[in-house]
């Protein structure tokens, strides 16, 4: 297969082109813009296959996608940070309408004040909306996950957010295997989910309903999320057979017999992997899926490892509670046999995880200041 | 003999300089015109507030030594509306770009105009989103190229001053970075006008718009701006075909109408503050 040196953003755009998308809607925002710019170039060369339009805002971008998805179109848009926040009403709406839209979100901090750094708070703030959220650690995974996201979203009829860190993934050039379009087509055929808008059978969509009906719909979305696990396994099996790569909901590295397990999502996992060989007794659990949250899988893995400590690396923070992934991990481990204490390294603001920082966390020199078993360390305290 | 006149240094945050704008960008010329306009209008430094949104234009707030507020994308006028309502004595200049003001900010723009609130909107129009690397905006002329329209945009642009007039703005003027003295005068007139004043300031972006559309370098772009400019008086003698090639500069319209903040306090009987 042809290998190209491209950025995470270019990998995302190339995957969208290979996926045979029907509609791309664009609105610029740093650090996402290169995705829609690359797709514009495909379109201008007549190589996109589908349509490409520019919107007047991020909100409008997702509304255009919603309209097109109502007609059965495979749609894509990309955004970041304030753009995603501005979409918030439409983010809920598209999940409720069961539109299998794929959206790439490039992580960036939220203002005020203005900050471009890769904090994950933008996408994690949207975790209760009913979108599948898949986090990527490198450019190859971005490419592969976009393809898988279309298959997954259209299978369970939920929108899917493909998330990766600004700059560390979006702007870094890496070698990416790019299968040709006909090979991709063997994995992902044309969209075949039913159009909601059918001129032959006119209907009023999304009108007013009562609490009981709304409750049933929310529950149906929750159950659709439950179907993600089996569907994702099937998709990974087919993907691995064609391309030799797969991305389980939780990726484990050196977990067996590890005394300490590091847990994170996104490109921090790449740094951890690069240091693991030098760290005896330390393993990594990387959360690929954050919604649905792989609680059962995570608990099983932690129990099987026999680890004494779990350290969650969060490039985000929910003020008043702490790192968001740490809270989710604690909830997942509640009631587990001999659940280990969960400590939290908080890199809110998009602070870089360095090997030096990891070593100090693991040798305990940062956790000597007392406190209970569930301790927090803020990245800014490490300087 | 060219008379060199320095900008009022007390109106600049000199520690923040040099600015981040590209060589040849017109934003510095527009910002300097604004500084001179504030001085010429005789406003006290403490009474002046600069509100900006997001984009290259909006970086101006960081370099200006007044009360300055760097707001969210497209929402500068909404922030400024709240500020003006609570402190009506303030002289508020809202610096926006074409993308900032007319895309996400379009709704706030027409509603500020509808209320005729006493704000001075200075829109630096360089036909492009510069900060994100050159995407077309709702003011980019049809057919022009951008990174998100490599073959040229199909979309028709807003005529910004007419949009504002239709929405209720009571002062509309157009100037450019090619004629900074005129621009300075227009900003002064807008600032002295009671009501919503819109000043469209055309400005070259050689880095993105110019390069994508083969407009030449900064000198060529400024010269083209100057050559295509015609005053309101000069335009009155041109036929529509000639006029369509021109950029009409000066005060395009001005009229009296009730100002929102005054109306508000009169109706409530309260004193501001």
């Amino acid at each position: 297969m042809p290998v190209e040196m491209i950025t995470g953003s270019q990998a995302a755009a190339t995957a969208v082109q290979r996926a045979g998308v029907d509609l791309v809607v664009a609105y610029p925002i740093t650090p996402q813009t290169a995705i829609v710019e690359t797709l514009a170039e495909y379109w201008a060369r007549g190589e996109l296959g589908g349509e490409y339009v520019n919107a007047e805002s991020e909100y409008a971008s997702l509304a255009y996608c919603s309209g097109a998805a109502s007609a059965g179109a495979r749609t894509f848009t990309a955004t970041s940070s304030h753009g995603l926040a501005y979409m918030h009403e439409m983010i809920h709406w598209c999940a409720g309408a069961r539109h299998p839209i794929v959206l790439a979100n490039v992580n960036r901090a939220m203002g005020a004040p203005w900050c471009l750094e890769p904090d994950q708070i933008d996408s994690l703030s949207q975790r209760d909306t009913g979108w599948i959220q898949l986090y990527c650690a490198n450019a190859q995974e971005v490419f592969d996950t976009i393809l898988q996201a279309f298959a997954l979203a259209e299978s369970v009829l939920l929108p899917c957010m493909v998330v990766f860190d600004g700059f560390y993934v979006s702007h870094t050039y890496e070698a990416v295997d790019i299968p040709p379009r006909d090979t991709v087509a063997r994995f992902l055929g044309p969209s075949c989910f039913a159009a909601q808008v059918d001129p032959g059978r006119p209907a009023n969509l999304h009108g007013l309903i009562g609490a009981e009906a709304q409750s049933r719909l929310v529950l149906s979305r929750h159950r659709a999320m439950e179907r993600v696990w089996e569907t994702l396994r099937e998709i990974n099996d087919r993907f691995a057979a064609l391309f030799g790569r797969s991305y389980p909901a939780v990726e484990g590295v050196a977990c067996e017999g590890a005394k300490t397990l590091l847990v994170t999502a996104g490109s921090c996992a790449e740094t951890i992997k690069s240091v693991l060989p030098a760290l005896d007794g330390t393993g990594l659990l990387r959360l690929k899926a954050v919604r649905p949250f792989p609680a059962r899988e995570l608990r099983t893995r932690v129990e099987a490892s026999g680890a004494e400590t779990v350290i969650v690396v969060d490039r985000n923070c929910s003020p008043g509670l702490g790192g968001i992934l740490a809270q989710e991990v604690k909830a997942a481990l509640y009631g587990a046999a001999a659940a280990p204490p969960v400590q939290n390294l908080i890199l809110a603001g998009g602070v870089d995880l360095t090997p030096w920082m990891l070593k100090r966390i693991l040798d305990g020199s940062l956790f000597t200041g007392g406190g209970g078993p569930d301790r927090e360390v803020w990245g800014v305290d490490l300087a | 003999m060219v008379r060199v006149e320095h900008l009022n240094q007390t109106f600049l945050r000199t520690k923040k300089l040099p600015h981040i704008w590209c060589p040849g960008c017109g934003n510095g010329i527009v910002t300097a015109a604004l500084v001179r306009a504030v001085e010429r209008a005789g406003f006290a430094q403490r009474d002046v507030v600069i509100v900006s949104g997001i984009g290259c234009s909006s970086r101006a707030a960081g370099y200006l030594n007044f009360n300055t507020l760097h707001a969210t994308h497209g929402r500068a006028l909404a922030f400024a509306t709240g500020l003006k309502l609570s402190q009506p004595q303030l002289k508020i200049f809202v610096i926006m770009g074409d993308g900032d003001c007319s895309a996400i900010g379009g709704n706030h723009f027409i509603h500020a105009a509808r209320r005729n609130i006493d704000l001075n909107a200075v829109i630096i129009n360089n036909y492009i989103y510069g900060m994100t690397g050159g995407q077309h905006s709702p003011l980019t002329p049809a057919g022009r190229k951008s990174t998100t329209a490599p073959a040229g945009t199909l979309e028709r642009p807003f005529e910004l001053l007419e949009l504002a007039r239709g929405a209720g703005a009571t002062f509309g003027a157009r100037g450019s970075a090619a004629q900074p003295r005129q621009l300075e005068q227009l900003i002064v007139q807008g600032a002295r006008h009671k009501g919503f004043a819109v000043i469209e300031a055309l400005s070259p972006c050689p880095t993105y718009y110019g390069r994508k559309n083969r407009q030449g370098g900064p000198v060529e772009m400024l010269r083209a701006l100057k050559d295509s400019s015609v005053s309101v008086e000069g335009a009155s003698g041109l036929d529509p075909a000639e006029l369509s090639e021109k950029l009409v500069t000066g005060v395009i319209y001005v009229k009296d109408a009730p100002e929102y903040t005054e109306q508000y306090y009169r109706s409530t009987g309260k004193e501001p503050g």
Side-chain angles (χ1 to χ4, degrees), chain A residues 26-30 33 36-38 40-41 43-44 52-58 82 86 114, chain B residues 53-54 70-73 75 99 103-104 129 131-136 147-151 155:
Chain A
Y27 190 84
I29 183 167
T30 304
T33 312
V36 294
E37 286 180 334
T38 307
E41 286 163 17
W43 183 77
Y52 181 100
V53 291
N54 287 274
E56 62 272 33
S57 71
E58 289 92 349
H82 287 252
Y86 184 30
W114 290 109
Chain B
I54 283 297
H70 197 174
T72 55
H73 184 41
R75 317 294 177 188
I104 288 183
Y129 287 90
M131 188 64 81
T132 45
Q135 300 76 39
H136 60 280
T147 61
T148 45
E155 299 180 20

Side-chain angles (χ1 to χ4, degrees), chain B residues 98 127-128 135-142 144 153 155-157 209:
Chain B
D98 45 303
Y127 301 132
I128 205 96
Q135 300 76 39
H136 60 280
S137 83
L139 299 191
T140 307
R144 296 299 191 179
T153 174
E155 299 180 20
R156 296 192 303 163
Y209 185 76

Side-chain angles (χ1 to χ4, degrees), chain B residues 77 94-110 113 120-127 137-141 156-175 196-202 247-248 252-253:
Chain B
L77 282 168
V94 185
I95 305 177
M96 296 172 281
D98 45 303
D100 187 48
C101 169
S102 67
I104 288 183
N107 197 41
H108 302 301
F109 182 70
I110 57 174
N120 307 295
V122 178
I123 297 101
I124 305 182
N125 180 8
N126 59 7
Y127 301 132
S137 83
L139 299 191
T140 307
R156 296 192 303 163
F158 279 129
E159 217 295 38
L160 191 70
L161 292 180
E162 292 309 312
L163 175 68
R165 174 158 38 191
T170 49
F171 182 95
R174 186 183 294 110
F196 190 59
V198 183
I199 295 107
E200 182 184 14
L202 278 300
L247 191 70
V248 182
I252 310 295
Y253 52 86

Side-chain angles (χ1 to χ4, degrees), chain A residues 22-353:
Chain A
D22 296 312
L23 176 68
V24 171
V25 191
Y27 190 84
I29 183 167
T30 304
Q32 168 284 123
T33 312
I35 300 175
V36 294
E37 286 180 334
T38 307
L39 285 162
E41 286 163 17
Y42 275 119
W43 183 77
R45 291 196 301 264
E47 295 171 5
L48 183 61
E51 310 304 325
Y52 181 100
V53 291
N54 287 274
E56 62 272 33
S57 71
E58 289 92 349
Y59 189 108
S61 295
L62 198 50
Y64 291 11
C65 288
S66 171
S70 300
R74 178 173 287 166
T75 59
F76 174 84
T77 190
T79 191
S80 181
S81 184
H82 287 252
L84 188 68
Y86 184 30
M87 286 178 175
H88 180 67
E89 184 182 9
M90 282 307 303
I91 295 275
H92 273 288
W93 189 263
C94 291
R98 305 296 293 268
H99 295 320
I101 295 163
V102 172
L103 180 153
N105 182 71
V106 184
N107 283 132
R108 172 184 145 182
M110 290 292 305
W114 290 109
C115 181
L116 300 174
E117 304 298 326
D119 190 311
Q120 296 168 322
I121 193 66
D122 54 352
S123 55
L124 289 172
S125 297
Q126 306 294 340
R127 67 196 186 281
D128 301 333
T129 54
W131 282 58
I132 300 163
Q133 288 199 0
L134 303 175
Y135 286 69
C136 305
N138 57 55
Q140 181 70 62
E141 190 179 353
V142 170
F143 180 90
D144 295 344
T145 304
I146 294 266
L147 298 180
Q148 294 198 356
F150 282 112
L152 183 59
E154 291 171 14
S155 177
V156 299
L157 286 179
L158 287 174
C160 184
M161 203 176 286
V162 177
V163 185
F164 49 101
D165 299 280
F167 305 107
Y168 295 130
V169 178
S170 67
H171 284 56
T172 303
Y173 281 80
E174 297 182 77
V176 180
D177 259 352
I178 301 179
R181 200 158 170 169
D182 53 351
T183 312
V184 171
R186 287 163 58 197
F187 170 73
L188 183 69
S191 68
C192 58
F193 61 97
Q196 296 172 345
V197 173
D198 179 354
R201 293 191 306 141
N204 179 33
L205 296 173
H206 318 314
L208 191 67
I209 61 170
E212 289 77 14
Q214 177 74 348
S215 179
R216 279 194 292 276
L217 290 175
V218 173
L219 191 60
S220 76
R221 297 201 284 279
H222 184 62
R223 287 182 177 140
M225 280 284 186
E226 285 295 310
R227 288 201 301 279
V228 165
W229 304 127
E230 192 186 340
T231 311
L232 189 59
R233 265 192 294 275
E234 291 166 6
I235 284 170
N236 264 314
D237 288 347
R238 287 199 294 120
F239 198 85
L242 278 166
F243 307 114
R245 297 181 294 272
S246 72
Y247 303 93
V250 180
E251 179 192 14
V253 183
C255 295
E256 204 173 320
K259 284 177 67 178
T260 303
L261 284 179
L262 293 159
V263 181
T264 195
S267 67
C268 284
E270 295 288 278
T271 307
I272 294 170
K273 279 184 202 174
S274 72
V275 187
L276 274 186
L279 304 171
D280 280 346
T282 305
L284 165 70
L285 287 175
R286 179 172 72 95
L287 298 166
K288 167 71 181 173
V290 169
R291 279 297 179 277
F293 192 80
R296 201 174 307 138
E297 171 97 21
L298 189 80
R299 190 164 56 238
T300 307
R301 294 254 195 172
V302 171
E303 284 179 332
S305 73
E308 294 165 12
T309 309
V310 170
I311 301 175
V312 182
V313 180
D314 265 302
R315 196 130 69 191
N316 62 78
C317 180
S318 173
L321 194 59
I324 292 171
L325 298 177
Q327 310 311 321
E328 306 241 332
V329 168
K330 284 176 188 175
L333 294 181
Y334 181 78
V342 176
Q343 300 176 346
N344 196 189
L345 173 59
I346 300 175
L347 304 174
V351 172
D352 189 19
L353 175 70

Side-chain angles (χ1 to χ4, degrees), chain B residues 238-260:
Chain B
L238 298 178
D239 63 41
E242 290 172 312
L243 203 55
S244 67
E245 303 291 314
K246 292 292 184 186
L247 191 70
V248 182
T249 62
V251 178
I252 310 295
Y253 52 86
V254 58
K255 64 177 180 182
D256 284 330
E259 192 276 326
Y260 180 65

